[in-house]
């Protein structure tokens, strides 16, 4: 599954929002089914609701990437709405978070670490991955600026988050921290002492910030 996240061969990395998001959706639904085996019809209901939501909300499409990012966002929404009929937020939100984040967590962390370990310049490699994903995975539905773009400092500033736009419009802004927390999977693969750079994301739109700053800082010479 590592190839779906573009880390297997960094020289040939091509973000694939269709393959990546479909893999995440399937893993998410499977994890929910495993967590609630007593409800045989749950995943069928979630899938049906997901299909309806996607069919109803095609107005969000601005490019091909947005089509697949919408499907991922609405998968989380569909699961929440089905689970809301069975349990309260105190139970459903941790369940959704675990099912969304953990299935690919160790693989993404390990692949990130391995990619950086193999690079002669881990900082430059991470910046290149960020640029490619911004352009090809997130696409025009997200708005990024770059207040820092230097040899040793790089910031990708998300000024508009498509995930947040969709969830807010659907009255489900409280699901956004789950989407934000998924990034911990790749963030955990960065080891500053080992890779020669630091990363910080002090705020996110989904947790109340006005922007999402992704800041990379080189800490040693190449």
């Amino acid at each position: 599954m590592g190839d779906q996240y573009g880390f297997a061969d960094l020289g040939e990395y091509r973000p694939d929002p269709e393959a990546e998001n479909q893999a995440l959706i399937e893993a998410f639904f499977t994890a929910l089914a495993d967590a609630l085996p007593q409800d045989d019809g749950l995943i069928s209901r979630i899938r049906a609701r997901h299909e309806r939501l996607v069919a109803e909300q095609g107005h969000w499409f601005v490019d091909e990437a947005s089509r697949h990012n919408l499907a991922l966002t609405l998968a989380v929404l569909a699961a929440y709405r089905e689970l809301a009929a069975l349990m309260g937020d105190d139970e459903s939100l941790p369940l959704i978070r675990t099912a969304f984040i953990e299935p690919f967590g160790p693989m993404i962390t390990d692949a990130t670490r391995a990619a950086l370990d193999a690079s002669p310049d881990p900082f430059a490699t991470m910046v290149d991955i960020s640029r490619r994903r911004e352009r090809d995975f997130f696409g025009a539905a997200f708005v990024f600026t770059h207040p820092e773009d230097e040899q040793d400092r790089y910031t990708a500033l998300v000024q508009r988050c498509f995930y947040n736009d969709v969830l807010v419009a659907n009255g489900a802004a409280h699901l956004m921290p789950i989407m934000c927390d998924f990034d911990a999977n790749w963030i955990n693969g960065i080891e500053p002492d080992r890779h020669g750079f630091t990363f910080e994301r002090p705020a996110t739109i989904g947790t109340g910030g006005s922007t999402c700053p992704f800041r990379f800082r080189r800490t040693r010479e190449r």
Side-chain angles (χ1 to χ4, degrees), residues 4-209:
Q4 293 175 333
Y5 288 88
F7 291 106
D9 185 346
L10 289 172
E12 299 299 325
Y13 176 43
R14 295 293 181 271
D16 188 338
E18 180 176 10
E20 294 178 35
N21 282 318
Q22 189 57 42
L24 288 173
I25 291 168
E26 290 303 315
F28 174 51
F29 288 167
T30 297
L32 288 174
D34 290 344
L36 297 168
Q38 69 277 13
D39 190 340
D40 292 339
L42 175 65
I43 302 308
S44 294
R45 298 196 304 274
I46 291 175
R47 288 186 185 277
R49 184 183 286 270
H50 181 231
E51 290 175 3
R52 291 195 301 273
L53 286 169
V54 171
E56 293 165 0
Q57 301 201 26
H59 59 279
W60 288 104
F61 299 161
V62 298
D63 58 10
E64 191 64 15
S66 65
R67 179 184 303 273
H68 305 299
N69 287 315
L70 177 67
L72 180 66
T73 311
L74 294 179
V76 175
L77 179 63
Y80 173 73
R81 288 186 173 169
E82 286 298 324
L83 290 174
L86 303 175
M87 60 187 73
D89 284 5
D90 287 347
E91 286 185 81
S92 64
L93 294 179
L95 179 62
I96 291 169
R97 184 187 185 280
T98 298
F100 185 68
I101 294 171
E102 292 190 359
F104 280 107
M107 183 276 291
I108 296 174
T109 299
D110 291 347
T112 303
R113 185 180 297 113
L116 297 176
D117 285 349
S119 172
D121 187 348
F123 172 85
T125 292
M126 201 73 226
V127 169
D128 182 58
I129 292 171
S130 176
R131 291 185 195 278
R132 294 190 191 195
R133 288 184 65 79
E134 176 184 328
R135 182 191 65 215
D136 298 332
F137 183 87
F138 295 111
F142 289 77
V143 175
F144 288 81
T145 59
H146 305 94
E148 297 178 302
D149 190 355
E150 304 169 15
Q151 181 177 355
D152 297 329
R153 302 167 69 86
Y154 179 75
T155 297
L157 187 69
V158 182
Q159 295 190 311
R160 179 179 178 184
C161 174
F162 179 67
Y163 303 137
N164 188 68
D165 289 349
V166 173
L167 289 175
V168 168
N170 281 277
H174 62 293
L175 298 179
M176 262 309 297
I178 295 171
M179 307 294 288
C180 299
D181 287 350
F182 186 86
D183 284 341
N185 288 332
W186 63 264
I187 293 169
N188 289 339
I190 300 170
E191 298 183 23
D193 291 342
R194 183 171 178 167
H195 298 132
F197 72 94
T198 61
F199 171 80
E200 64 172 358
R201 187 188 62 179
T204 69
I205 295 169
T207 56

